[in-house]
Amino acid sequence: MLANEQKKIRHLLVIQDLEGRRTVPLQETTYSLGRHPANTIILSSRSVSMQHAILLRVTVPETDQYGFQIIDGNYKGKGSTNGLFVNGTKCFSHNLRNGDVIAFGSNQAQAKYYAISNISEKAFSESFDVEDLSGFLSEQGSPANPFQTLAIDPSFELASESALARLASFPELIPNPIIEMDLEGRVTYLNPAAALKFPKLREIGTKHPILTGLLSTVKNLEKNSFVREVEVGTEVFEQSVLYLPESDLIRTFIIRDITEQKQATAELRQRDRLLQAVAEAANYLLGEINYETGIDRVLAVVGEAAKADRAYLFQNHPHPATGEIVVSLRFEWTHPSVESTYQDWQNQPYQGSGLARWYAVLSSGKSISGLTQQFPAAEQEFLIRDGIQSLLLVPLCLEKEFWGYLGLADCTFKRHWSKHEESTLLMMAASIIGARERQQVEEKIRYQALHDMLTGLPNRLLFNELLNKTLPNATRNGESLAVIFLDLDRFKVINDTLGHTLGDQLLQSVAKRLQDSLRGGDTIARWGGDEFTILLPRVNDIEEVTLVSYRILQALEDAFHLQGHELYVTASLGIALLDNNSPDAETLIQHADAALYYAKDKGRNNYQFYSVSLSAKNPELLTLEKSLRYALERKEFTVYYQPRVNIATEEITGMEALLRWQHPEMGLVAPSVFIPLAEESGLIIPIGEWVLRTACIQNKIWQDAGLPPITIAVNLSLKQFRQPKLLEIIAEILEKTALEARFLELEITESIAIENLDFTKTVLENLQQMGVYISIDDFGTGHSSLSRLQLLPIHNLKIDKSFIQDLMHDVKVAHIIKAIVGLGQSLGLKLTAEGVEKEEELEFLRSINCDDVQGYLFYRPLSAEKATEILESKRPSL
């Protein structure tokens, strides 16, 4: 093992929570521990808050080492919900020591901290996957070479508010090395980044390159600060030095690592020494961001170096009127004593003007050189007009096409251009073409970076850029502006049904219509998927925005005819206006998005303006609701099945379908959280229909597999039960799935049942005529009675689990359950007890002749695969 590996302290956090056990090496400056997906370390326990605790890397005084301090809650001082416990003691903050056990308010989420040395890099990496870490670490040592732990002075306590501020301060957390040294040459402070980057700095002291010469330099300083370059081994750094006379300290800050920059500069200098004077102009051209500026500069350098009177660049292009290939002078440098000929060389045709030879020779890749008197008579006319005594032209070929030519002219002498001058000009031509190609690539990259490739519209990046540029103008001119968030209604159905190719064509057609419906100066961007954003600048009144929104909806009314299909699509629009409630770009977009979903709630194919009342919702719930809208399309829902068991025979008599939502980022979302959102937004209707259809399909699969027939129970929410087409939907699902109605059981709560007794009775009687079974779910939690419920055609009564939970603790509850079972059976109802988890509860229910039970005592909710396995195991043997 190397000596530096022996000395290095390594830090580990071994976490045990609902996801199991895992080892995390602590290598960053800060960690946040909690359940939120943005946290550095996620703990899977509901008792752990979103930011339960923070870990801060702390430099141990007078050493090169660092440790970690754990602090309850977050940087703002907000504590966690259930508290932080270290070694069984609740605390606000604690300097972690090797072996400390951290509990996050619950035994479900714990962690153990290790700080060890004298262990190799290989063994340290292997320790991440070791089950028994303590045993593994013990095995790494030997009597002659045991592993060591980090020893921290007990007096080193930093739990005060001022200390916490220091821990979270700039020097401790910044990744740049910071070092302080007194005038005696002693290192008084290293931040963690410095300790990591220069591990021997404290040992070497003023002989270390970072500190070398600082003591003598600061004594002769006119100012208290300066910047220098310093080499440490093969690395070069830019170092800022500040002398603090009031505290007799020298503080240095490593601004940046300039090793690669210095290497690149050295290489460029070496190459520049090998280049000729004119080639320097080529380097300038390659380094110049602005193409036009670069060409002007290069022509000047080339012209002056060649001692010419003119240097110019001609470009071929179609004539703006006739379309024939012509040539125009694009860039020109002239000696101060020579006049420009720019205007004389615009849209000059090759054919019929005496320049046909130039085109033939240059397009073949050859150069043209000579005295004016040696040129054909037709060409001489041009040259004499411009006062040219001699001329040198070399071709410019872009992507193997004759793009133009580069030229040098002498108006003073009849000079013969040398091969060296020709090769120099050819080299410059190659550089110019390279710069042109680079410009084209950059323009293409920028276009692709800022535009949607499918529709050609600006993308969200360019939209945000334009919005941020427009805002100051609107504020300065006292104008308003509007941001519209547009979402196509049910586009996913078309895309999934007819294919993505047709879906893409539809998006292109929609984008064209939307563009045509806007005012001049308005901007539309594709935000992503089937979402678009629109910027309306210079808005003077709300009627303007209303008119544009109406035109947008109207533009989509006519059918789209694509690939033989007649397609109709509508849109929902959310609008936010620049005002005190929406003062910046980010808020405008957020508020337009919120208004969009309000428009969807209003039935789609409409526009809605943002109002402050929309912000009353919890932002997290708004985000969750937005995700919920796409959960069904993205196939994030799953149906689980909980068996219902006959008490006497312990046979499975039915399954209850239970909806689960596996969010791609938030994980499993509790039904108690998302079901009310779905109910409030109306999404419960399509979601509920999907659950009903999925459950019926699964029950039919079980029957077709030869399993004993059972009923499948599905809950109906209030909005589902009240929807006008409930009976038609159920009939259609039973017909499509070929499931007999007697194997479907619909559950409604007693509060739904008695809200409108006449309506409920009518619906249930129709369902009974279809052959569907009816259950009253969660009986006992509402305000009804069996005397009222007996008026309804129900078959099953489910005793709420709250009664079962209190059964063993309250004698009165036992009498109530017994009364419910007795009265229910007297009315011919089947009784099912929910939430049965204990044998004593089961024995009591058996003693009063309750029919069925559901609960963890027998089965938890099961995936379709697990439920199938259970049913297979219960199949009667032949």
Side-chain angles (χ1 to χ4, degrees):
M1 191 188 308
L2 299 175
N4 60 346
E5 286 192 358
Q6 294 178 3
K7 294 180 181 180
K8 186 174 182 180
I9 302 294
R10 308 173 194 274
H11 305 263
L12 292 171
L13 196 66
V14 180
I15 298 171
Q16 182 72 45
D17 60 10
L18 295 180
E19 285 189 356
R21 182 183 175 282
R22 57 195 182 279
T23 300
V24 179
L26 300 179
Q27 298 168 329
E28 304 296 331
T29 54
T30 62
Y31 291 91
S32 179
L33 297 94
R35 286 185 293 105
H36 195 276
N39 285 347
T40 305
I41 302 177
I42 298 173
L43 297 173
S44 281
S45 173
R46 292 186 180 179
S47 64
V48 174
S49 56
M50 288 188 178
Q51 192 168 23
H52 197 98
I54 54 177
L55 271 178
L56 292 177
R57 193 169 72 188
V58 186
T59 305
V60 180
E62 306 301 326
T63 75
D64 293 339
Q65 302 295 352
Y66 61 88
F68 281 88
Q69 184 176 53
I70 189 165
I71 300 165
D72 186 39
N74 56 27
Y75 285 114
K76 298 180 180 178
K78 183 179 179 181
S80 62
T81 303
N82 294 324
L84 176 70
F85 296 81
V86 179
N87 300 327
T89 302
K90 188 173 184 179
C91 57
F92 166 70
S93 68
H94 179 79
N95 290 309
L96 290 175
R97 296 178 176 84
N98 184 69
D100 280 352
V101 176
I102 308 162
F104 301 94
S106 163
N107 290 330
Q108 291 181 336
Q110 292 188 345
K112 189 171 183 180
Y113 171 77
Y114 292 87
I116 56 175
S117 68
N118 210 2
I119 183 171
S120 68
E121 188 73 38
K122 180 175 180 295
F124 179 67
S125 299
E126 292 173 353
S127 68
F128 302 166
D129 301 318
V130 171
E131 190 68 26
D132 180 12
L133 184 59
S134 297
F136 174 83
L137 294 175
S138 298
E139 293 173 5
Q140 299 308 306
S142 67
N145 191 32
F147 81 93
Q148 304 292 321
T149 62
L150 175 64
I152 301 179
D153 186 346
S155 65
F156 174 51
E157 294 295 335
L158 295 172
S160 67
E161 290 185 4
S162 60
L164 177 58
R166 172 63 186 267
L167 287 177
S169 67
F170 175 81
E172 286 292 317
L173 300 184
I174 193 169
N176 297 61
I178 299 176
I179 306 106
E180 287 182 357
M181 178 178 67
D182 63 20
L183 296 184
E184 300 299 322
R186 290 189 297 266
V187 175
T188 59
Y189 174 73
L190 293 176
N191 75 337
L196 285 172
K197 187 65 180 175
F198 310 115
K200 295 184 179 294
L201 189 144
R202 200 182 286 274
E203 176 184 339
I204 299 173
T206 56
K207 294 182 179 180
H208 194 283
I210 290 294
L211 303 178
T212 299
L214 291 185
L215 291 174
S216 59
T217 303
V218 297
K219 293 177 182 178
N220 302 314
L221 278 179
E222 293 182 3
K223 296 182 179 180
N224 288 340
S225 64
F226 63 93
V227 176
R228 70 176 186 174
E229 292 180 7
V230 59
E231 294 184 14
V232 181
T234 59
E235 296 178 291
V236 186
F237 301 94
E238 192 174 61
Q239 179 186 23
S240 173
V241 180
L242 175 65
Y243 173 48
L244 306 172
E246 65 275 10
S247 54
D248 286 335
L249 287 176
I250 302 171
R251 178 180 297 155
T252 76
F253 177 87
I254 302 304
I255 301 172
R256 60 192 177 110
D257 184 340
I258 58 173
T259 307
E260 292 184 3
Q261 176 185 321
K262 297 295 289 184
Q263 291 174 347
T265 302
E267 291 172 2
L268 284 174
R269 286 175 180 170
Q270 175 66 18
R271 187 176 66 176
D272 288 345
R273 283 193 290 268
L274 300 176
L275 292 175
Q276 299 175 2
V278 178
E280 292 177 4
N283 285 328
Y284 180 89
L285 177 65
L286 292 173
E288 176 58 50
I289 296 176
N290 185 287
Y291 173 72
E292 286 75 13
T293 303
I295 296 297
D296 285 334
R297 174 64 177 161
V298 165
L299 292 181
V301 171
V302 172
E304 290 172 356
K307 296 182 179 180
D309 292 316
R310 286 197 179 99
Y312 31 38
L313 184 151
F314 292 84
Q315 182 182 345
N316 300 325
H317 62 93
H319 192 282
T322 65
E324 68 174 315
I325 295 298
V326 295
V327 65
S328 293
L329 179 58
R330 295 300 190 204
F331 301 93
E332 180 184 31
W333 170 85
T334 60
H335 189 275
S337 61
V338 177
E339 294 183 359
S340 170
T341 58
Y342 186 86
Q343 295 300 327
D344 297 330
W345 285 94
Q346 299 302 310
N347 300 320
Q348 187 69 49
Y350 282 105
Q351 300 297 329
S353 65
L355 298 179
R357 185 182 75 92
W358 286 16
Y359 186 89
V361 173
L362 293 170
S363 63
S364 68
K366 297 178 181 179
S367 302
I368 293 177
S369 176
L371 303 176
T372 297
Q373 63 193 40
Q374 298 171 340
F375 282 73
E379 297 172 11
Q380 286 187 33
E381 290 185 16
F382 290 101
L383 302 179
I384 293 171
R385 180 196 67 188
D386 296 340
I388 294 174
Q389 298 279 353
S390 62
L391 182 68
L392 171 63
L393 302 175
V394 298
L396 294 167
C397 295
L398 181 64
E399 296 178 350
K400 298 182 180 181
E401 295 291 332
F402 175 41
W403 182 73
Y405 49 90
L406 194 64
L408 289 173
D410 196 317
C411 301
T412 308
F413 302 102
K414 295 179 180 180
R415 78 193 273 177
H416 294 277
W417 303 95
S418 67
K419 285 294 181 181
H420 172 68
E421 289 167 328
E422 182 180 342
S423 64
T424 297
L425 201 58
L426 283 169
M427 187 169 69
M428 288 311 308
S431 297
I432 289 171
I433 287 298
R436 176 61 181 168
E437 289 175 340
R438 185 190 68 187
Q439 182 200 32
Q440 288 181 326
V441 170
E442 288 173 351
E443 288 173 351
K444 183 178 180 180
I445 291 173
R446 176 169 172 79
Y447 182 87
Q448 291 175 340
L450 297 176
H451 290 79
D452 171 52
M453 291 298 99
L454 178 65
T455 62
L457 296 177
N459 60 15
R460 67 168 64 190
L461 190 65
L462 181 54
F463 183 85
N464 285 329
E465 186 178 303
L466 294 172
L467 177 56
N468 281 298
K469 286 182 179 178
T470 306
L471 277 170
N473 294 331
T475 304
R476 186 167 49 251
N477 299 329
E479 298 175 336
S480 184
L481 58 81
V483 170
I484 301 177
F485 218 119
L486 181 150
D487 182 85
L488 299 181
D489 301 326
R490 306 194 186 283
F491 170 78
K492 188 75 163 54
V493 176
I494 296 175
N495 208 35
D496 290 347
T497 305
L498 300 178
H500 294 285
T501 301
L502 187 65
D504 287 348
Q505 291 178 7
L506 178 58
L507 285 174
Q508 291 171 332
S509 300
V510 166
K512 179 67 171 60
R513 286 197 193 178
L514 293 176
Q515 277 183 300
D516 294 342
S517 66
L518 298 179
R519 310 171 305 173
D522 295 340
T523 299
I524 178 170
R526 187 181 178 201
W527 195 254
D530 60 341
E531 293 180 324
F532 297 84
T533 47
I534 300 165
L535 171 61
L536 306 182
R538 302 183 306 279
V539 170
N540 297 311
D541 54 63
I542 199 169
E543 284 74 16
E544 291 183 63
V545 184
T546 302
L547 182 60
V548 172
S549 302
Y550 176 75
R551 283 207 307 267
I552 289 172
L553 295 177
Q554 198 174 36
L556 300 177
E557 286 182 353
D558 293 337
F560 292 87
H561 297 278
L562 299 169
Q563 296 184 15
H565 295 279
E566 185 177 82
L567 304 175
Y568 291 89
V569 65
T570 59
S572 299
L573 281 65
I575 308 166
L577 297 171
L578 176 65
D579 55 23
N580 292 334
N581 295 317
S582 307
D584 53 58
E586 183 178 359
T587 310
L588 277 163
I589 292 171
Q590 288 177 350
H591 287 174
D593 193 23
L596 165 66
Y597 289 100
Y598 182 59
K600 285 189 173 292
D601 283 342
K602 290 293 183 181
R604 296 181 168 86
N605 194 25
N606 71 98
Y607 58 86
Q608 296 293 331
F609 285 87
Y610 172 81
S611 64
V612 179
S613 61
L614 292 181
S615 296
K617 282 190 176 181
N618 183 310
E620 292 180 5
L621 289 181
L622 280 173
T623 302
L624 195 63
E625 182 179 333
K626 182 176 180 180
S627 298
L628 187 61
R629 294 184 178 279
Y630 297 102
L632 195 58
E633 297 175 359
R634 294 170 180 167
K635 299 179 181 178
E636 295 171 2
F637 287 124
T638 307
V639 176
Y640 272 53
Y641 302 90
Q642 187 171 31
R644 184 174 64 204
V645 179
N646 182 274
I647 292 180
T649 65
E650 295 193 357
E651 291 293 321
I652 295 175
T653 60
M655 292 276 189
E656 181 179 0
L658 300 170
L659 179 61
R660 295 291 182 267
W661 181 16
Q662 186 67 38
H663 191 282
E665 296 174 355
M666 303 177 191
L668 197 63
V669 183
S672 60
V673 174
F674 75 83
I675 292 296
L677 282 177
E679 184 78 17
E680 179 186 344
S681 63
L683 292 170
I684 195 67
I685 292 178
I687 292 173
E689 182 179 334
W690 178 84
V691 173
L692 183 61
R693 190 181 304 275
T694 302
C696 289
I697 290 171
Q698 184 60 60
N699 201 14
K700 182 60 176 167
I701 290 172
W702 286 330
Q703 291 184 8
D704 292 344
L707 298 172
I710 57 174
T711 59
I712 191 81
V714 181
N715 290 280
L716 292 182
S717 71
L718 177 61
K719 281 193 176 179
Q720 282 180 281
F721 190 71
R722 297 294 182 197
Q723 64 176 310
K725 295 186 178 180
L726 175 65
L727 297 173
E728 290 90 331
I729 290 171
I730 293 172
E732 183 266 336
I733 289 175
L734 290 173
E735 181 183 356
K736 289 288 179 65
T737 60
L739 182 71
E740 294 181 44
R742 62 194 177 100
F743 294 116
L744 174 62
E745 184 176 320
L746 297 177
E747 297 184 358
I748 61 173
T749 63
E750 58 176 315
S751 56
I752 293 176
I754 66 170
E755 185 177 277
N756 185 335
L757 210 56
D758 292 337
F759 174 81
T760 302
K761 185 178 181 181
T762 301
V763 174
L764 295 186
E765 284 176 347
N766 287 326
L767 289 171
Q768 186 183 42
Q769 289 176 8
M770 291 170 61
V772 175
Y773 279 79
I774 308 297
S775 288
I776 299 297
D777 193 19
D778 300 337
F779 182 76
T781 58
H783 302 283
S784 66
S785 64
L786 282 174
S787 60
R788 298 177 69 186
L789 293 177
Q790 69 176 329
L791 301 174
L792 302 175
I794 59 178
H795 307 89
N796 194 5
L797 202 64
K798 301 186 76 172
I799 304 169
D800 187 67
K801 62 183 178 181
S802 61
F803 286 103
I804 307 302
Q805 290 170 352
D806 295 336
L807 177 59
M808 296 293 105
H809 311 294
D810 193 335
V811 176
K812 293 180 181 178
V813 172
H815 290 304
I816 292 171
I817 295 174
K818 186 174 183 180
I820 292 173
V821 171
L823 286 170
Q825 289 177 338
S826 69
L827 293 173
L829 302 178
K830 197 169 185 178
L831 278 297
T832 301
E834 298 180 292
V836 178
E837 298 182 2
K838 300 176 182 177
E839 284 287 349
E840 308 93 86
E841 296 166 353
L842 179 64
E843 287 305 317
F844 173 79
L845 293 167
R846 182 181 284 120
S847 70
I848 62 173
N849 297 320
C850 183
D851 300 298
D852 293 338
V853 293
Q854 269 182 250
Y856 288 0
L857 180 61
F858 285 95
Y859 302 102
R860 291 174 177 267
L862 306 168
S863 65
E865 293 78 11
K866 291 291 184 182
T868 303
E869 291 177 11
I870 295 296
L871 292 174
E872 288 279 3
S873 69
K874 298 291 183 180
R875 186 198 294 264
S877 57
L878 298 176

